[in-house]
Amino acid sequence: MILKLRAWDKETQLLINVLVIDWLNELVDLEGGRIDRQFDEVELMQSTGLKDKNGVEIFEGDIIKNSNGSTGYVIYLQQEAGFVGVLKKSDYRLGHRNTGESYAEATNHEVIGNIYENPELLERS
């Protein structure tokens, strides 16, 4: 799996794909010509490699509505043991190889927003 990241740009208040990370100088280059953001100017979010029932890619920070109607957001990834996504507030685990839950289980879920652009969605749940 290719590492795919997006970032919440704190200055522009936009969610933008990450093109390059310069770890040595702690800089992030963002899609659309927004270059050289310092690490503290963005919040990085990693893709889970999964898509929801509508084909939307699921990232850390996404707010997910699961098949029983409860919502939470993806807060944790553990690549070495297979993907683990814990939906905070619902204590629900999405796609963990060691529990036997299939990665396809994500198709029963829907991304309804993210914690930066839509924090009000968590307040309602």
Side-chain angles (χ1 to χ4, degrees), residues 58-114:
I58 302 172
F59 282 81
E60 289 178 291
D62 279 342
I63 300 171
I64 305 290
K65 183 176 179 181
N66 68 25
S67 55
N68 70 9
S70 65
T71 61
Y73 63 95
V74 179
I75 59 168
Y76 182 65
L77 296 176
Q78 182 181 348
Q79 296 298 333
E80 65 276 0
F83 164 71
V84 178
V86 177
L87 299 182
K88 190 172 181 178
K89 292 190 79 168
S90 68
D91 198 32
Y92 183 84
R93 293 184 180 269
L94 172 67
H96 188 299
R97 180 171 45 192
N98 294 336
T99 64
E101 182 181 14
S102 167
Y103 292 126
E105 292 292 323
T107 60
N108 296 323
H109 300 77
E110 181 178 15
V111 174
I112 59 171
N114 65 71

Side-chain angles (χ1 to χ4, degrees), residues 21 53 64 85:
I21 296 179
K53 68 181 186 178
I64 305 290

Side-chain angles (χ1 to χ4, degrees), residues 3-123:
L3 180 65
K4 186 172 181 183
L5 298 168
R6 69 181 184 191
W8 175 251
D9 185 337
K10 294 175 185 178
E11 180 184 325
T12 64
Q13 301 285 289
L14 294 172
L15 201 56
I16 305 170
N17 290 326
V18 172
L19 298 177
V20 177
I21 296 179
D22 179 347
W23 296 102
L24 182 64
N25 296 304
E26 297 185 351
L27 297 171
V28 180
D29 288 351
L30 303 174
E31 196 172 68
R34 293 172 177 87
I35 60 171
D36 295 338
R37 293 282 194 243
Q38 297 289 324
F39 280 3
D40 64 352
E41 296 176 310
V42 297
E43 293 290 336
L44 294 173
M45 294 162 275
Q46 183 177 340
S47 170
T48 65
L50 298 174
K51 294 186 177 180
D52 76 355
K53 68 181 186 178
N54 300 313
V56 175
E57 190 166 6
I58 302 172
F59 282 81
E60 289 178 291
D62 279 342
I63 300 171
I64 305 290
K65 183 176 179 181
N66 68 25
S67 55
N68 70 9
S70 65
T71 61
Y73 63 95
V74 179
I75 59 168
Y76 182 65
L77 296 176
Q78 182 181 348
Q79 296 298 333
E80 65 276 0
F83 164 71
V84 178
V86 177
L87 299 182
K88 190 172 181 178
K89 292 190 79 168
S90 68
D91 198 32
Y92 183 84
R93 293 184 180 269
L94 172 67
H96 188 299
R97 180 171 45 192
N98 294 336
T99 64
E101 182 181 14
S102 167
Y103 292 126
E105 292 292 323
T107 60
N108 296 323
H109 300 77
E110 181 178 15
V111 174
I112 59 171
N114 65 71
I115 60 174
Y116 299 101
E117 294 175 310
N118 315 100
E120 73 281 357
L121 293 175
L122 287 176
E123 294 167 6

